[in-house]
Amino acid sequence: MDTPLYHRFTEETLFEALQDTPVALIHGSRQCGKTTLAQSVGEQLGYHYISFDDDNQLQAAKADPVGFVQSLPEKTTLDEIQRTPELFTAIKASVDKNRKPGRFILTGSANVLLLPQLSDSLAGRMEIIHLRPLAQTEIAGKKPVFLQQLFNAEIGSIPNINNYPRLGETLADMVCRGGYPAAIARSTAKRRSAWYRDYITTIIQRDVQDIANIRNLDILPKLFSVAASQTARLFVAADLAAPFSISRPTIREYLALLEQIFLIEQLQPWHSNRLSRLIKTPKMHLADTGLACELLVINSQNLWQNKVLLGQLLETFIYQELRKYADWHNEALKFYHFRNKDKVEVDIIIEQGQQVAGIEIKASATVTPSDFKGLNKLKDACGKQFSAGVVFYDGENILPFGNKLFAVPISLIAFSGFTGKIKS
């Protein structure tokens, strides 16, 4: 079965980068759609395509990096560039001789800027585009405007036309499905599960070994599963190391590898001089909830019955959706979480310049004033810089809970994004 092609909203960013920057790097986890995006844009603009999954091309590049780069056409796509870090110095030299925009499209399934072999980055010569698995709005084919609404204080003006659908058990199914294009293309949950199992095996047996020589390789899938159980929770290496008889520094090294290939990420804590007793520990989120469900060996029916785990995975799901939205947003955004020692917290804090917005997530169909405890504390701390606070819930209406505070149905972000008109 062919994987259906979805329009990636990042495509516009790639076109823009190629107009004024010599090198554009698309990086993200394997199978998130980097090659498809690079080939789609490359075919439209006449790029020659080379993949380093082809062993002949790989060996040629490693044997003579300078000669390999010199032999390339002026516009070339180099796929899975993390397999040949030797090329970066040669690409830099080539670009320094010819600074014409749009010379190279690179893709990488590892954060190549963190590779120890990389002696010189392409700083000032390369734009980096982080591609994540599909957003629900990309699947629906409608570009979201939620972040504009959030920072323009327009959420309360969005009409409740015919209400918004309550998701119920569909919520668990959506979380288990995840966002990888090839997994979504499979017709049954059983077949999607098989895809995710093969994916995990490939990552461990091949991609990790492309960038590092590690001992105890058999520990890595077990550690990845423990990490999945801790998604949306505070990142405490000691807790993750507990099931294993290896040192905490080694566990941190292995976790860094998973982060380097975009399978886990840390959400840093938010700080303010107006608040005391803040916890300074980052949170951890997996890159995709479909992957997390496979690691936890849980299907949508079981997840729906386990409300604690559903809430935990839903937080990661919405966090990742918002990170995808941020990649298409016109303004630069920074993401954080907030928690103090009294366990008052805000799941996600987003900064746009001096503006601050807060997001809370709950899987239930009801919302109460107590759900806004953390958002009210954030609002008081930020004063005029506070744009809005949102509690996502599985309800049918947008409900005001005070000045700049709203309960918002998850279905608005899960299917097609906000429909409210943005004011000029």
Side-chain angles (χ1 to χ4, degrees), residues 58-74:
L58 178 65
Q59 297 306 322
K62 285 181 174 294
D64 182 12
V66 173
F68 186 88
V69 170
Q70 289 177 345
S71 71
L72 296 175
E74 188 172 73

Side-chain angles (χ1 to χ4, degrees), residues 34-138:
K34 303 182 301 298
T35 298
T36 302
L37 174 61
Q39 288 182 325
S40 173
V41 171
E43 287 171 2
Q44 295 176 61
L45 299 179
Y47 278 72
H48 179 66
Y49 174 80
I50 293 173
S51 172
F52 293 120
D53 280 340
D54 181 330
D55 195 57
N56 290 328
Q57 297 283 7
L58 178 65
Q59 297 306 322
K62 285 181 174 294
D64 182 12
V66 173
F68 186 88
V69 170
Q70 289 177 345
S71 71
L72 296 175
E74 188 172 73
K75 296 198 294 186
T76 300
T77 297
L78 299 175
D79 202 5
E80 300 295 353
I81 191 70
Q82 82 282 350
R83 305 195 75 196
T84 56
E86 301 91 344
L87 282 186
F88 274 85
T89 301
I91 291 172
K92 175 183 178 293
S94 178
V95 166
D96 285 346
K97 291 179 181 178
N98 178 4
R99 298 287 296 234
K100 184 177 179 180
R103 290 194 55 203
F104 296 98
I105 300 174
L106 312 179
T107 81
S109 296
N111 191 338
V112 295
L113 299 182
L114 299 179
L115 292 177
Q117 306 98 310
L118 191 56
S119 59
D120 191 358
S121 76
L122 286 163
R125 307 164 181 86
M126 177 171 71
E127 180 158 340
I128 301 170
I129 298 168
H130 189 177
L131 189 68
R132 299 170 187 266
L134 284 163
Q136 299 301 304
T137 50
E138 288 179 305

Side-chain angles (χ1 to χ4, degrees), residues 189-374:
K190 179 181 178 181
R191 296 302 303 145
R192 285 195 296 273
S193 179
W195 186 89
Y196 278 116
R197 283 197 304 273
D198 291 343
Y199 179 84
I200 293 165
T201 300
T202 300
I203 290 291
I204 300 302
Q205 292 185 352
R206 175 186 163 177
D207 286 36
V208 168
Q209 295 186 80
D210 275 345
I211 61 173
N213 293 317
I214 66 171
R215 304 181 302 275
N216 303 316
L217 191 63
D218 59 314
I219 288 177
L220 205 54
K222 299 174 185 176
L223 177 62
F224 198 11
S225 295
V226 173
S229 72
Q230 298 298 307
T231 191
R233 293 183 177 173
L234 294 180
F235 185 93
V236 181
D239 293 345
L240 293 166
F244 306 100
S245 57
I246 56 177
S247 68
R248 291 180 187 178
T250 300
I251 288 292
R252 290 191 184 96
E253 178 187 342
Y254 287 8
L255 290 168
L257 284 172
L258 292 175
E259 194 167 1
Q260 190 171 337
I261 57 176
F262 305 106
L263 294 179
I264 64 172
E265 61 183 281
Q266 295 185 45
L267 178 62
Q268 296 301 318
W270 185 76
H271 300 291
S272 171
N273 293 331
R274 300 181 186 179
L275 293 174
S276 60
R277 294 170 52 81
L278 294 177
I279 289 176
K280 299 180 181 180
T281 306
K283 268 188 176 182
M284 181 174 64
H285 284 284
L286 254 69
D288 182 81
T289 54
L291 187 59
C293 287
E294 183 57 38
L295 288 162
L296 296 173
V297 196
I298 192 165
N299 59 31
S300 61
Q301 292 84 7
N302 295 333
L303 182 60
W304 177 246
Q305 298 299 321
N306 188 337
K307 292 301 190 287
V308 173
L309 184 57
L310 176 61
Q312 184 183 343
L313 290 173
L314 182 63
E315 182 180 333
T316 288
F317 177 85
I318 290 183
Y319 166 73
Q320 292 295 357
E321 291 295 296
L322 294 175
R323 290 305 302 252
K324 295 164 191 174
Y325 289 12
D327 292 337
W328 319 317
H329 191 58
N330 289 331
E331 304 290 335
L333 301 175
K334 296 179 180 179
F335 284 72
Y336 304 94
H337 80 94
F338 154 66
R339 181 180 293 186
N340 66 18
K341 294 180 180 179
D342 299 319
K343 297 185 178 179
V344 177
E345 63 181 327
V346 177
D347 293 331
I348 303 167
I349 291 176
I350 310 175
E351 287 186 348
Q352 178 180 280
Q354 297 299 309
Q355 293 179 281
V356 179
I359 306 289
E360 272 287 304
I361 297 139
K362 58 183 301 185
S364 71
T366 59
V367 63
T368 67
S370 65
D371 295 317
F372 289 83
K373 184 178 181 180

Side-chain angles (χ1 to χ4, degrees), residues 377-399:
K377 197 167 190 68
L378 178 67
K379 177 183 172 184
D380 292 342
C382 294
K384 293 181 180 180
Q385 295 177 343
F386 186 77
S387 293
V390 166
V391 172
F392 279 112
Y393 77 119
D394 190 21
E396 299 175 335
N397 295 284
I398 300 169
L399 303 171

